[in-house]
Amino acid sequence: AQSVTQPDIHITVSEGASLELRCNYSYGATPYLFWYVQSPGQGLQLLLKYFSGDTLVQGIKGFEAEFKRSQSSFNLRKPSVHWSDAAEYFCARQGTGRRALTFGSGTRLQVQP
Amino acid sequence: NAGVTQTPKFQVLKTGQSMTLQCAQDMNHEYMSWYRQDPGMGLRLIHYSVGAGITDQGEVPNGYNVSRSTTEDFPLRLLSAAPSQTSVYFCASSYLTSGSTGELFFGEGSRLTVL
């Protein structure tokens, strides 16, 4: 079965520091990959997505992610974190031809002043 | 822009009671789905629909029923609530047409507690 793994449950970074959130997906045909962000008490908002082409994708709020087939990874990065980035981040994959997403368990980001 | 609207936002039930979580979208999306979110488990798919009159089971369908009589609405029914159904429920929708990106649009969630 397709799966998505986010190995870090909780990450704390200082404001202004760089950020990398890890995501690994199970082996399969080139997946459609997503990163969503969830602020407390809110629904999920799409940050970025990868379907094909350039393996470095840019998203909203200054986030980017790099698809690495050899490592089955799709890590999310941001060069300088802002206090407003504190939230939970979910990596997800979609099987080809299907709309249902398989989500990772999420990474909660805390930002220290 | 309404997007995906879920009601109610909060609900407390007693074991054995029934209720319906409502979901409506105004984007003319063919695909609609229900997820539940539990701590440390991400979001898991309960049921989904690819159009009016068509529904199918997801990863965790037991204890839930759905129907899709219109394109806009996709209610989730709990026939006999159990404490294990305490969770936050999200409705999500997307286009299915060829060439669409398949991005899911989420509602704000419904927090359900079963005592």
Side-chain angles (χ1 to χ4, degrees):
Chain A
Q2 298 176 348
S3 68
V4 176
T5 303
Q6 293 180 247
D8 303 306
I9 297 172
H10 188 202
I11 285 182
T12 300
V13 300
S14 298
E15 191 169 16
S18 62
L19 171 70
E20 182 170 27
L21 303 182
R22 296 183 290 166
C23 173
N24 294 96
Y25 62 92
S26 59
Y27 176 81
T30 300
Y32 296 167
L33 296 164
F34 303 79
W35 274 100
Y36 282 85
V37 60
Q38 183 182 31
S39 298
Q42 300 296 312
L44 279 74
Q45 180 184 20
L46 180 68
L47 283 176
L48 48 78
K49 59 195 176 209
Y50 171 79
F51 287 159
S52 63
D54 194 346
T55 56
L56 184 64
V57 294
Q58 302 296 322
I60 62 171
K61 303 184 180 186
F63 285 92
E64 66 179 26
E66 186 172 12
F67 171 66
K68 292 185 177 180
R69 183 189 301 276
S70 61
Q71 299 177 18
S72 297
S73 68
F74 188 57
N75 294 348
L76 182 70
R77 301 194 294 248
K78 186 169 185 179
S80 178
V81 169
H82 187 263
W83 64 266
S84 60
D85 293 325
E88 189 152 22
Y89 292 79
F90 292 94
C91 182
R93 70 171 292 170
Q94 181 185 96
T96 303
R98 297 179 67 243
R99 286 291 182 262
L101 294 183
T102 299
F103 284 86
S105 56
T107 298
R108 183 167 298 280
L109 173 65
Q110 186 175 357
V111 180
Q112 288 182 333
Chain B
N1 295 333
V4 179
T5 303
Q6 291 182 232
T7 57
K9 290 192 181 336
F10 301 93
Q11 183 71 49
V12 179
L13 290 178
K14 294 181 180 178
T15 297
Q17 287 185 317
S18 63
M19 77 155 299
T20 299
L21 299 177
Q22 302 291 344
C23 175
Q25 52 90 11
D26 62 358
M27 296 172 282
N28 206 29
H29 287 165
E30 302 94 340
Y31 180 88
M32 296 187 74
S33 56
W34 278 101
Y35 288 83
R36 60 177 288 173
Q37 182 181 24
D38 301 291
M41 303 190 73
L43 283 80
R44 292 178 293 168
L45 181 64
I46 304 171
H47 284 285
Y48 66 95
S49 167
V50 297
I54 305 170
T55 63
D56 206 346
Q57 296 180 350
E59 181 184 356
V60 288
N62 292 341
Y64 306 96
N65 282 349
V66 292
S67 60
R68 184 95 178 269
S69 57
T70 68
T71 299
E72 295 78 19
D73 300 298
F74 190 47
L76 178 72
R77 297 184 184 87
L78 286 71
L79 299 180
S80 180
S84 61
Q85 294 178 304
T86 294
S87 187
V88 181
Y89 293 85
F90 287 97
C91 180
S93 69
S94 77
Y95 290 111
L96 270 178
T97 51
S98 175
S100 65
T101 61
E103 174 186 348
L104 278 180
F105 293 81
F106 284 83
E108 293 189 344
S110 298
R111 182 176 294 275
L112 175 66
T113 301
V114 183
L115 302 177

